[in-house]
Amino acid sequence: MTETVSDPYASTTDSAEGPVFTVTGQDWDTIDASAVEGDHLVINMGPQHPSTHGVLRLILEIDGETVRDARAGVGYLHTGIEKNMEYRTWTQGVTFCTRMDYVAPFSNEAAYVMAVEKLLGIEAPEKAQVMRVLLLELNRVSSHLVALATGGMEIGALTVMTCGFRDRELILDLFEMITGLRMNHAFIRPGGVAQDMPAGGIEKLRSTVRLLKKRLPEYAALCNANPIFKGRLKGVGHLDLSGCLALGLTGPILRATGYDWDLRKKQPYWGYETYDFDVVTRDEPDAYGRFRVRLDEMWESLKIVEQATERLAAMEGQPVMVADKKIAWPSQLSVGSDGQGNSAEHIKHIMGESMEALIHHFKIVTEGFRVPAGQAYASVEAPRGEIGCHVVSDGGTRPYRAHFRDPSFVNLQGTSVMSEGGMLSDVIVAIASIDPVMGGVDR
Amino acid sequence: MVDAKGNKDERDQGTKTQDGSHETQAELVKSDAVELEIVEVREGAFGIHGTGDTSGFGGLTRPVMMPGASQRPYGGWYDEVADQLATITELDEAIEKVVVDRGEITFFIRRHKLLETVTHLRNDPVLRFEFCSSVSGVHFPHETGRELHVAYHLLSMTHNRRIRLEVVAPDDDPHIPSVVSIYPTADWQERETWDMFGIIFDGHPALARILMPDDWPGHPQRKDYPLGGIPVEYKGGTIAPPDQRRSYS
């Protein structure tokens, strides 16, 4: 252990806890560990490891193949979204928070917008609420597909991965059609949504749902009774109800313990109480149970999507933004010969017809609206559990403070208790069953 | 522009607002600090400061008021929870004030009584707030002696209720007891609040930074911590970083 190599990334050094080796893969034979006593090792997994869902670092204390101690290190993707939101208008805040949990962007927007609307004391028009529900549920399906896909990939089931991303693409196409973007939509805004349904949207929704219903059974056929799949997932990452409540875990992890806690049913918002769907539970609090809960939840979400589609079909021409001109975004977007921009009628109105309309447009776009002083907490059932948003207003045009309770962040605290005492390979399965998205964890 | 001393005078008078809506509340409610709802003083209008303002609006000075303490009855199950908290005898000191606003109830808890309060909130069958949703901080640099606030959002799944606890601490003594022993889920959330605000949670098992690097100086979510950023040039024009652009007061 006296060797001194100048390369800081591939050297052997001594520390207070013992010698430190750096291995980067397929180079174990270059390590002379003969002087180390016992099999006790502390290894760093990540932050750039393909199996840890992005930049998650795991510090594992292992004894042979058995994990004695597991700690998660986070923060590698911290971008200061909450701080940035304090320097933008209330409407621009949506653009920031949608980038947190980038696999479920609509849930981020929904929690924030719900809190802001609570502070304003306004309610979005019915059609906007239906569109929000539609997008949230489509997003739940696409998010669960990613969970299945990455979870499958990590245990070597590459077919699940290719199928998952193939079907997610269908939903991203729908998002692109409705919001203009595949991710980071900033579509749900205080007071409603940014745009009305596009022409032909209803038909596209119907045909995609039909296709998804044809394809979803493939996952069940491939995995549910697959002995290898069950062998890797069953009994792994066990966490019972009391453990979930103590550590704050929600979403499919909580419902896999048999408790039917779902904010869509328990504290319904935006008309969820009027949709016909069931809360999926399962009495298998392990990775397999969580997989099955996610699988079944996609069917329930499709049920809601179908109902929302039919409602939208009957709501053509209804407003998607509150009538209050002091809050509503003044213009609608349209695609012209020179690209996307404000609609031609709106430009004509503010540039040629009404000075006051121009001033109003300028004021609301640059200055924004004021929100009465106070604070509010709103929570939404995101695909990963409860996403909460605590916003504080000082009566100004910007959030004084916005804090997000991200389900990935809280759920990841279950890592230690799910992995300790198990095999090293099961750590991957346990974390895949938590399904953390590091953009949401680190914000 | 009103100078710093003028600001202080305005705040010392405490309860003056333009519409007078808050003027009576301070007399009715016993609270640790009468001026506590004033979190800031807003000056001027349209973001103009100093010269250049010919409108006269630049002379405006308005205190920013948070919703004041509420009077009984609070309505609905709020009273049931408040009554039950009040019947627990060790806790009569704990509640500083109660604010009901926008359909949410907030209990301001004195920090030395926080642990006892959350223990009862979790264990009492009438209260049974078994789930701690969120812990986060807010920094109010203008609230002298009460600059740091920590908001706990508790959820009772048994009764399907949510409440908020708010605990305050001064900047020069940023200590608040940790609730990790009652709600283990607060572990990372208190670490984040320490990281972002510099609030020390006494009794936390390992209060280390979580989102920022271990050796990071300062606590980014505090209001005296700058956002940072550089000006951006575009087609000959220069756009200031976000924290130096016009802000509307």
Side-chain angles (χ1 to χ4, degrees):
Chain A
M1 303 312 108
T2 52
E3 180 191 1
T4 46
V5 183
S6 57
D7 184 353
Y9 298 107
S11 63
T12 302
T13 50
D14 272 305
S15 73
E17 281 77 32
V20 177
F21 304 102
T22 304
V23 283
T24 52
Q26 304 195 350
D27 50 356
W28 272 109
D29 50 349
T30 64
I31 298 290
D32 176 22
S34 54
V36 184
E37 285 174 30
D39 286 339
H40 180 84
L41 270 179
V42 180
I43 61 164
N44 248 325
M45 200 163 99
Q48 290 286 24
H49 187 280
S51 297
T52 50
H53 288 258
V55 282
L56 169 65
R57 174 182 169 214
L58 292 168
I59 304 133
L60 302 171
E61 205 175 311
I62 54 172
D63 187 358
E65 281 274 311
T66 309
V67 178
R68 291 279 172 240
D69 196 88
R71 292 285 176 271
V74 302
Y76 294 92
L77 212 53
H78 178 61
T79 45
I81 285 175
E82 291 172 3
K83 178 90 174 172
N84 267 297
M85 288 170 76
E86 294 170 11
Y87 292 88
R88 316 284 166 149
T89 66
W90 290 94
T91 307
Q92 285 173 320
V94 182
T95 319
F96 277 85
C97 71
T98 189
R99 283 159 168 78
M100 298 188 316
D101 182 345
Y102 43 80
V103 181
F106 287 114
S107 309
N108 309 334
E109 299 174 18
Y112 170 71
V113 165
M114 194 186 287
V116 175
E117 288 181 351
K118 216 171 183 180
L119 278 177
L120 285 167
I122 59 170
E123 202 174 54
E126 200 192 346
K127 186 171 184 186
Q129 295 190 11
V130 176
M131 284 181 71
R132 288 173 179 183
V133 167
L134 174 93
L135 291 166
L136 282 168
E137 291 310 316
L138 282 171
N139 202 174
R140 192 179 315 277
V141 179
S142 73
S143 170
H144 282 353
L145 283 170
V146 172
L148 265 52
T150 55
M153 180 187 70
E154 287 166 3
I155 58 169
L158 285 182
T159 315
V160 179
M161 188 269 279
T162 50
C163 289
F165 280 110
R166 173 198 69 188
D167 294 344
R168 174 182 182 243
E169 206 64 24
L170 298 173
I171 295 172
L172 294 188
D173 286 346
L174 287 178
F175 289 161
E176 191 177 354
M177 175 193 68
I178 296 171
T179 73
L181 293 162
R182 290 153 46 89
M183 301 170 84
N184 306 334
H185 313 277
F187 187 72
I188 302 177
R189 306 263 178 93
V193 295
Q195 288 284 105
D196 202 349
M197 285 293 286
I202 303 287
E203 289 73 52
K204 182 91 185 288
L205 272 169
R206 286 184 183 136
S207 66
T208 305
V209 169
R210 262 200 306 277
L211 185 55
L212 279 172
K213 282 179 141 179
K214 214 177 288 171
R215 286 186 176 173
L216 280 190
E218 289 178 10
Y219 299 93
L222 199 56
C223 302
N224 280 4
N226 183 328
I228 305 171
F229 195 81
K230 284 169 79 172
R232 286 301 304 275
L233 265 62
K234 270 207 173 237
V236 173
H238 184 95
L239 188 63
D240 62 7
L241 176 61
S242 55
C244 281
L245 290 192
L247 287 170
L249 277 73
T250 45
I253 306 171
L254 180 59
R255 289 190 285 276
T257 67
Y259 186 26
D260 64 338
W261 182 264
D262 188 323
L263 293 174
R264 294 175 294 170
K265 282 278 187 206
K266 303 284 183 183
Q267 298 172 359
Y269 44 92
W270 297 339
Y272 263 114
E273 67 276 13
T274 61
Y275 293 89
D276 174 36
F277 70 103
D278 294 318
V279 175
V280 178
T281 60
R282 213 171 168 85
D283 287 318
E284 285 172 284
D286 55 18
Y288 183 74
R290 288 163 208 150
F291 165 77
R292 292 292 295 269
V293 167
R294 292 199 175 96
L295 205 54
D296 294 345
E297 271 186 8
M298 292 199 284
W299 286 101
E300 297 301 324
S301 290
L302 284 185
K303 267 161 74 176
I304 302 175
V305 168
E306 281 182 319
Q307 294 168 52
T309 308
E310 292 321 307
R311 289 186 196 187
L312 284 176
M315 288 174 138
E316 206 164 324
Q318 288 189 26
V320 294
M321 185 54 95
V322 286
D324 185 351
K325 295 283 184 211
K326 292 289 178 193
I327 289 168
W329 198 251
S331 66
Q332 286 273 302
L333 291 174
S334 69
V335 179
S337 55
D338 55 346
Q340 184 179 267
N342 289 323
S343 66
E345 305 88 79
H346 182 72
I347 298 289
K348 186 171 162 242
H349 182 56
I350 63 172
M351 299 305 286
E353 294 170 1
S354 168
M355 174 79 143
E356 287 71 27
L358 177 66
I359 295 171
H360 172 72
H361 180 106
F362 181 74
K363 288 271 285 177
I364 202 127
V365 172
T366 59
E367 179 176 345
F369 50 80
R370 285 171 195 281
V371 172
Q375 54 182 339
Y377 179 84
S379 50
V380 167
E381 185 72 32
R384 284 164 196 78
E386 174 181 331
I387 181 164
C389 180
H390 176 217
V391 288
V392 182
S393 172
D394 67 346
T397 57
R398 300 162 162 188
Y400 188 78
R401 165 93 171 113
H403 174 77
F404 287 87
R405 180 245 194 241
D406 191 273
S408 298
F409 180 73
V410 181
N411 289 0
L412 206 53
Q413 293 190 87
T415 307
S416 305
V417 69
M418 283 184 191
S419 334
E420 284 169 10
M423 302 288 280
L424 182 57
S425 55
D426 290 343
V427 174
I428 308 295
V429 175
I431 289 179
S433 78
I434 296 176
D435 185 27
V437 173
M438 299 315 289
V441 174
D442 297 338
R443 284 156 286 142
Chain B
M1 288 250 302
V2 181
D3 62 12
K5 194 169 175 299
N7 274 342
K8 197 168 179 306
D9 290 344
E10 184 68 35
R11 256 177 288 149
D12 284 346
Q13 288 165 19
T15 50
K16 195 177 280 179
T17 54
Q18 279 189 316
D19 59 357
S21 59
H22 294 276
E23 278 178 24
T24 50
Q25 288 182 335
E27 295 159 19
L28 295 170
V29 184
K30 225 179 109 206
S31 165
D32 274 3
V34 180
E35 74 260 49
L36 112 111
E37 292 93 2
I38 301 179
V39 292
E40 209 170 328
V41 177
R42 204 186 292 287
E43 290 164 23
F46 315 123
I48 307 263
H49 297 284
T51 55
D53 172 34
T54 53
S55 68
F57 284 112
L60 278 179
T61 304
R62 291 153 295 169
V64 174
M65 314 281 286
M66 287 311 225
S70 303
Q71 300 297 305
R72 294 250 193 187
Y74 305 132
W77 54 264
Y78 296 158
D79 287 294
E80 194 186 331
V81 172
D83 287 342
Q84 187 65 19
L85 264 182
T87 54
I88 300 165
T89 46
E90 317 94 85
L91 287 185
D92 46 3
E93 276 275 290
I95 301 173
E96 182 190 304
K97 65 167 179 170
V98 181
V99 177
V100 179
D101 180 48
R102 275 123 166 152
E104 295 179 0
I105 188 162
T106 310
F107 293 92
F108 280 74
I109 306 291
R110 293 193 176 92
R111 55 178 167 166
H112 65 281
K113 286 284 187 183
L114 175 67
L115 262 188
E116 285 165 61
T117 311
V118 291
T119 310
H120 286 293
L121 280 168
R122 188 192 68 175
N123 294 346
D124 191 297
V126 179
L127 302 169
R128 195 68 89 204
F129 288 89
E130 65 273 85
F131 194 87
C132 177
S133 282
S134 169
V135 180
S136 71
V138 190
H139 187 213
F140 291 107
H142 289 269
E143 247 190 275
T144 315
R146 303 164 61 86
E147 289 93 350
L148 295 165
H149 291 223
V150 176
Y152 302 81
H153 292 93
L154 304 184
L155 166 66
S156 166
M157 290 175 165
T158 309
H159 302 294
N160 206 4
R161 297 165 173 173
R162 282 182 194 275
I163 60 169
R164 178 188 299 119
L165 305 184
E166 209 164 322
V167 182
V168 301
D171 252 345
D172 45 16
D173 179 30
H175 289 266
I176 284 175
S178 166
V179 299
V180 172
S181 56
I182 311 297
Y183 296 114
T185 179
D187 182 349
W188 282 20
Q189 311 198 41
E190 286 185 354
R191 281 177 64 189
E192 188 193 331
T193 311
W194 147 251
D195 197 355
M196 293 296 155
F197 292 92
I199 297 166
I200 299 163
F201 292 91
D202 297 318
H204 188 285
L207 195 67
R209 284 187 185 270
I210 186 163
L211 295 182
M212 304 304 287
D214 289 341
D215 54 354
W216 192 264
H219 300 280
Q221 286 276 5
R222 294 170 54 90
K223 289 288 175 187
D224 48 19
Y225 188 101
L227 178 68
I230 53 164
V232 178
E233 272 184 47
Y234 182 67
K235 290 191 176 178
T238 305
I239 295 136
D243 57 346
Q244 287 162 34
R245 291 177 204 160
R246 171 189 283 198
S247 62
Y248 295 86
S249 48

